[in-house]
Amino acid sequence: MKTILITGGAGFIGSHTAVELIQAGYEVIVADNLSNADTTCLEGVEKITRKKIPFHKADCCDKRQLKKIFEEHAIDGAIHFAGYKAVGESVYKPLMYYHNNLTSFMTLLEIMVENGGGNVVFSSSATVYGQPDILPVTEETPRKPAASPYGNTKQICEDILADAVRAHPTLKGIILRYFNPIGAHASAMIGELPRGVPNNLVPFITQTAAGIREELQIYGNDYNTPDGTALRDYIDVVDLAAAHVSALKHMVRTDRTGSCDIFNVGTGKPISVMELVNKFQAVNKVPVKYRITGRREGDVEAVWADTSLANTVLGWKAACSVEQTLEKAWAWEKRLRGIK
Ligand code: UD1
């Protein structure tokens, strides 16, 4: 398997995955409608890899546009990142989220089946576990009813892929459930580029340290955790990108038909919000002004991964320490803002 289509490849995780795939010897084609990204990260990918990347500004919901890409390139597999991802926004714009996230994925799968199948990796999320009863979560941990339309689209897309793979033997699928992806490439050429006010913790921290935001709000210190702030499993985005390479290799190696393997992609180590803020300040020697406020609606108290399955079956393991990851996140923000 050589040529991989990355939908949403101009985005945060997609661009890092493009780098890892190219460095592992794959040909990469990127399709992105640039609705929540621009070409900055793609230019970064080209600088890092010294390769020109075939880029198609295309909307995966538009079958004609996507089909044209399959006609132009001999695509062996796809990694589907294209989708809206703001939890809060999905509550206000559910139809937009359902339409975009479901249609884009179904369109991709339809075209792949029509073209004789292939391997597809779906970007799912730890959000499917909700607040689990037992921690850490394994892939067997039951999914909880989704707390947002965004979370529901992840669950439904998982089901769509499982059903499609069962019905179409030429189609092979893997679901990767990401925990909390953070950080940036070590070159500082690519990283997270949220539009407007960041929803996620680390971009908010880096923007506060850069002076763009006045202060970070820590959402709640009354959780039943060691320091009262919520626990998450923060996974380095380059490690996460590498998991996609391992997943593709695994699919070729095992050639499984009819069922869809699922893997947690995390570090297996819980870290609290307060710990993360403190580590960021310590490793980067930069202050982050913060204030404890009330809990954010829809947040869970604690979730972290049991990564044994990915470790043993995919032969993949998170390699980067959280300190290194936070250094890279800050290096990227500084480069972006021209801070010395
Ligand atoms: C959210 C989504 C998850 C998605 C992930 C992408 C849910 C419930 N969450 O995870 O699906 O895959 O983003 O990265 O669906 N925090 C603050 N202050 C801030 C921002 C965050 O204290 O300004 C805290 C949050 O309360 C939380 C932790 O930091 O405890 C992490 O938050 P965030 O980065 O937004 O990720 P999640 O909500 O865990």
Side-chain angles (χ1 to χ4, degrees):
M1 185 181 36
K2 293 256 177 57
T3 303
I4 305 297
L5 172 68
I6 306 186
T7 72
F12 175 46
I13 307 175
S15 57
H16 288 81
T17 301
V19 170
E20 294 308 301
L21 283 177
I22 292 166
Q23 290 180 342
Y26 291 86
E27 295 292 324
V28 164
I29 316 289
V30 168
D32 200 304
N33 66 1
L34 303 180
S35 67
N36 192 29
D38 55 35
T39 51
T40 311
C41 280
L42 279 180
E43 287 154 20
V45 173
E46 291 186 341
K47 276 191 196 134
I48 296 166
T49 60
R50 301 211 178 110
K51 277 204 120 182
K52 183 98 196 91
I53 301 182
F55 169 67
H56 297 265
K57 185 172 183 301
D59 190 331
C60 296
C61 294
D62 184 330
K63 194 162 179 180
R64 273 208 341 247
Q65 287 183 24
L66 200 55
K67 223 171 161 171
K68 212 162 147 266
I69 302 174
F70 278 79
E71 282 160 9
E72 268 179 48
H73 308 273
I75 290 167
D76 303 294
I79 306 180
H80 184 64
F81 294 106
Y84 295 147
K85 61 175 186 181
V87 180
E89 185 185 47
S90 79
V91 176
Y92 302 107
K93 299 179 180 171
L95 299 179
M96 187 177 104
Y97 270 69
Y98 284 116
H99 179 81
N100 185 57
N101 291 9
L102 305 187
T103 312
S104 62
F105 193 40
M106 288 191 293
T107 306
L108 173 69
L109 295 179
E110 276 169 27
I111 294 175
M112 288 184 74
V113 169
E114 286 162 15
N115 280 0
N119 296 323
V120 48
V121 181
F122 176 64
S123 306
S124 191
S125 163
T127 194
V128 302
Y129 297 118
Q131 178 57 67
D133 301 324
I134 301 167
L135 286 162
V137 287
T138 72
E139 292 78 359
E140 303 290 307
T141 300
R143 297 186 319 192
K144 287 273 168 79
S148 69
Y150 158 78
N152 209 15
T153 67
K154 291 293 179 195
Q155 298 204 2
I156 297 169
C157 284
E158 287 194 353
D159 296 343
I160 290 172
L161 183 58
D163 288 343
V165 163
R166 203 172 299 125
H168 303 285
T170 56
L171 192 70
K172 325 268 176 194
I174 277 197
I175 292 165
L176 297 182
R177 290 181 177 155
Y178 311 153
F179 282 67
N180 288 59
I182 62 165
H185 194 262
S187 64
M189 295 289 181
I190 55 175
E192 205 165 355
L193 249 184
R195 285 198 174 157
V197 183
N199 295 309
N200 295 117
L201 179 61
V202 168
F204 209 104
I205 292 177
T206 56
Q207 289 196 7
T208 307
I212 298 160
R213 310 280 155 211
E214 202 179 318
E215 67 175 5
L216 167 76
Q217 295 185 41
I218 294 183
Y219 298 134
N221 68 347
D222 57 351
Y223 285 109
N224 184 22
T225 61
D227 66 17
T229 65
L231 297 173
R232 293 288 184 277
D233 183 335
Y234 295 94
I235 172 78
D236 185 274
V237 67
V238 177
D239 281 339
L240 173 59
H244 296 76
V245 178
S246 304
L248 286 172
K249 287 186 175 160
H250 169 75
M251 290 171 102
V252 172
R253 212 168 41 233
T254 54
D255 196 22
R256 297 241 290 145
T257 303
S259 71
C260 200
D261 288 332
I262 302 177
F263 296 97
N264 284 342
V265 187
T267 65
K269 295 181 199 123
I271 294 186
S272 78
V273 176
M274 201 63 249
E275 274 178 286
L276 200 78
V277 173
N278 287 336
K279 278 184 198 293
F280 181 90
Q281 299 185 101
V283 294
N284 293 314
K285 300 182 182 58
V286 58
V288 175
K289 198 174 160 208
Y290 66 84
R291 182 164 56 95
I292 311 278
T293 60
R295 293 181 180 191
R296 181 171 69 176
E297 205 189 315
D299 272 349
V300 297
E301 180 167 273
V303 62
W304 70 95
D306 180 326
T307 61
S308 324
L309 199 66
N311 299 161
T312 53
V313 178
L314 296 183
W316 169 91
K317 205 173 184 351
C320 205
S321 72
V322 71
E323 286 82 4
Q324 288 170 319
T325 304
L326 293 171
E327 270 175 11
K328 293 190 292 175
W330 181 227
W332 158 249
E333 186 75 53
K334 282 198 295 186
R335 190 173 159 271
L336 204 60
R337 312 292 170 192
I339 300 169
K340 291 281 166 224

